[in-house]
Amino acid sequence: MARWAPDAALRLESAAMALFAERGFTATTVPEIAEAAGLTTRTFFRHFADKRDVLFLRERELPTVVGGLVAVAPPGLDPLALVMSGLETVAAGELQRWRDDIAARRAVVRSEPQLRERERLKSAVLTDAMRDALMESGVTSADAALAASIGSALFDASLEQWLAGPDDVLLVDVLRAMRARLGDLAGR
C-alpha cells in the first residue's frame, strides 16, 4: 500500500462510492474503503472523521468559496442579488462537471436518515457563510440572514431540479429559473 498518495482523498471517495453503490452505506466499513482505494485505514482517518465524511468531500470548500464570491460581488447589488452572484458563479463552474458524482452521492444520502441530517448541516454551514459575507459587506444582520437562507433554499431546490432534469441542462440556468419562480411566488 502507498505510504503517501497525493490523491488519497479522491481515491477514498471513489472507492467509497463504488462500495456504497454495491453494498449500501451501512454494510460498508472504513477498512473496506481503504483497501479498495489501495490505502491504509490510518490514511482514511487522516482525511475523514468517519465514513459519512467521505460523502461530503467536494462540499468542504463550498461555503468558503461562495462566501468569498459574495464578498467580492459587484457593488450596488441588493442582498439577495449578492448571494445569487456567488451561487451562480459556483453553479457555472466545477459543479456542472460533477453532475453524475453529485447524483450518486445524493442517492446514498437519501438512503440513510443520519446522512440526510448531515446534508442539512452542510446547507446550514453554507447559509452561515453567505450570511457572514453579507454582514461583512455592510448588510444588516436581519437582511443578511434572510437573503442567505433564501439563497441556500434556492440552491438546494435548484440542485434537485437539475439532477432530475435532462443531462444537457446547466445548473446555473436552473438556479436562475428557480430565482425567477421565487420572484413570481413572492409577487402573488
Side-chain angles (χ1 to χ4, degrees):
M1 291 191 191
R3 182 161 171 76
W4 181 80
D7 61 346
L10 292 173
R11 286 172 50 195
L12 289 162
E13 177 196 43
S14 179
M17 290 307 298
L19 289 170
F20 295 159
E22 178 186 324
R23 301 178 187 169
F25 176 81
T26 304
T28 302
T29 66
V30 168
E32 291 169 337
I33 294 167
E35 183 180 335
L39 299 165
T40 64
T41 301
R42 186 175 178 169
T43 300
F44 180 94
F45 286 113
R46 279 192 198 118
H47 294 279
F48 305 104
D50 57 38
K51 70 179 180 178
R52 292 176 304 171
D53 245 10
V54 77
L55 288 163
F56 301 97
L57 170 65
R58 296 182 195 211
E59 294 180 6
R60 284 181 185 173
E61 296 177 13
L62 183 64
T64 303
V65 169
V66 173
L69 291 168
V70 167
V72 299
L77 298 177
D78 66 71
L80 187 55
L82 287 169
V83 165
M84 291 303 295
S85 174
L87 291 172
E88 287 176 8
T89 302
V90 167
E94 299 260 335
L95 290 181
Q96 189 66 42
R97 292 194 327 257
W98 295 345
R99 180 188 172 103
D100 292 339
D101 293 336
I102 293 169
R105 186 190 67 76
R106 285 216 175 218
V108 173
V109 167
R110 285 205 177 98
S111 73
E112 298 288 329
Q114 65 185 8
L115 298 176
R116 290 191 300 268
E117 180 180 324
R118 184 73 164 260
E119 178 96 340
R120 284 187 212 94
L121 178 60
K122 291 295 184 180
S123 289
V125 170
L126 175 61
T127 301
D128 291 348
M130 292 187 295
R131 182 202 62 221
D132 293 348
L134 287 169
M135 288 173 48
E136 287 174 16
S137 298
V139 175
T140 66
S141 61
D143 287 350
L146 183 59
S149 294
I150 290 168
S152 186
L154 279 170
F155 189 70
D156 288 342
S158 298
L159 275 175
E160 290 298 319
Q161 288 285 338
W162 176 58
L163 293 172
D167 289 347
D168 62 341
V169 173
L170 299 177
L171 174 56
V172 68
D173 292 339
V174 175
L175 182 60
R176 289 175 180 148
M178 292 298 276
R179 169 63 178 98
R181 285 183 74 185
L182 175 65
D184 291 345
L185 287 172
R188 289 186 194 161

